[in-house]
Amino acid sequence: MPDPTIVFLVAPTEASASSVSGLYDTLMAAGRDWQFLVTGEDPAPIFDVKLIGPPHGPNQQSSGLTILPDLTFETTDRPDIIIVPGLTLSPFERLNPDDHPALPWLRDQADQGTRIVSACSGAIYLAEIGLLDGIEATTHWAFEDLFRWHYPNVRLRLDLGLCFSRADQGVVTSGGTTGWQELALFLIANYGGAQRAAHTAKVWLMADRGELQAPYASTLRATPHGDKAVDAAQVWIANHYRRDTPVAEMAAVTGLSPTSFARRFRKATGQTPLEYVQALRIEEARQMLEASETAVADIAEEVGYSDTASFRRLFKRRTGLTPAEHRRMFGRARFGRYTQNE
């Protein structure tokens, strides 16, 4: 029986406790729990997982849970794989490297050729040390603007749930808060075989999440900026997105020429004015689909689209789902059964 693959799971204070514990439990169970629960065979663990953190003892995570790492960033040991879990970081401000002792250690490990992978917002650590420059990577959708501002060399693919160039080596990134599940199954499949990945998915009841983050992502986010003209346009359009000529009227509100307005709006928000209006309309439609049984045609008209077919196509393009699929996934029929008064 081959020796288990050595994994260091990074556990600084900003780590998501659920991401750390989920990855730890799942990887340690691979090659063990199926045998215990089903076959009765001797365990054949695929991974030996160690938690690694800063040298000041037990770490209280952002959620309040305390984790005691097995190793500190002062270790000279080199694992086979390093996993950076989801991190509780601001989506608007670049992290200060002085506050993150994991970064120089990760950079040194990368220089030595250690494979480093990440779940969810853990990709920020990889981007910060330059490990994602020039390659496709994914992360949680809420950090799209942070990558656009501070890590423009990363080829961000929020349409994918998992990004990697080669299965057997190199960087892997997974997106979304529960993206650690997809990452765990990827590692189990590549280091233990597809059958044992299937066993893990069965034991842990891991559904196929698919590749898309779009159904879960908000199409509209509050992106801070200092452009007062753009801010005035955003305030206006929030109450007038149903208008027939919203972009022209937004520009008129600011007093800017259409060209100057479009340029400043894109610089401030990362979207064209039309894209922003579409995002606002689609987000409003999503909320109506989730909270009511209003017909799709009526919702389309309510948010500014008289052509229902065009609305359906735009909705699918921006969210990855049809309006009916979105309602089934996030609507009252799904969650109402959890309560007695729905």
Side-chain angles (χ1 to χ4, degrees), residues 57-223:
N59 303 321
Q60 187 173 58
Q61 313 307 118
S62 56
S63 63
L65 184 70
T66 298
I67 292 178
L68 179 61
D70 303 296
L71 301 166
T72 74
F73 296 131
E74 296 173 343
T75 184
T76 57
D77 293 346
R78 183 182 166 195
D80 299 301
I81 307 169
I82 295 170
I83 305 176
V84 182
L87 304 171
T88 304
L89 298 171
S90 169
F92 305 121
E93 299 178 4
R94 186 172 188 172
L95 57 79
N96 182 349
D98 294 337
D99 297 332
H100 298 270
L103 292 175
W105 176 78
L106 282 171
R107 188 177 292 110
D108 181 64
Q109 289 283 342
D111 289 343
Q112 296 182 61
T114 305
R115 187 175 203 183
I116 302 177
V117 304
S118 70
C120 191
S121 52
I124 295 172
Y125 269 15
L126 276 60
E128 185 64 30
I129 64 172
L131 208 54
L132 303 182
D133 286 354
I135 67 171
E136 290 188 348
T138 189
T139 185
H140 192 284
W141 54 262
F143 293 88
E144 179 179 5
D145 289 332
L146 184 77
F147 272 74
R148 177 170 62 88
W149 295 329
H150 300 299
Y151 310 112
N153 293 329
V154 180
R155 293 159 55 194
L156 198 62
R157 291 292 306 273
L158 294 183
D159 57 317
L160 300 179
L162 197 71
C163 280
F164 58 94
S165 296
R166 288 186 54 172
D168 60 338
Q169 61 179 293
V171 175
V172 184
T173 55
S174 63
T177 304
T178 56
W180 64 263
Q181 297 180 7
E182 198 78 9
L183 177 64
L185 291 176
F186 171 90
L187 293 174
I188 294 167
N190 278 279
Y191 290 87
Q195 187 63 62
R196 288 201 273 186
H199 291 165
T200 301
K202 291 177 181 179
V203 169
W204 288 80
L205 278 69
M206 289 179 170
D208 185 356
R209 297 174 64 251
E211 279 294 296
L212 295 178
Q213 280 201 76
Y216 304 90
S218 172
T219 58
L220 197 68
R221 295 186 302 281
T223 304

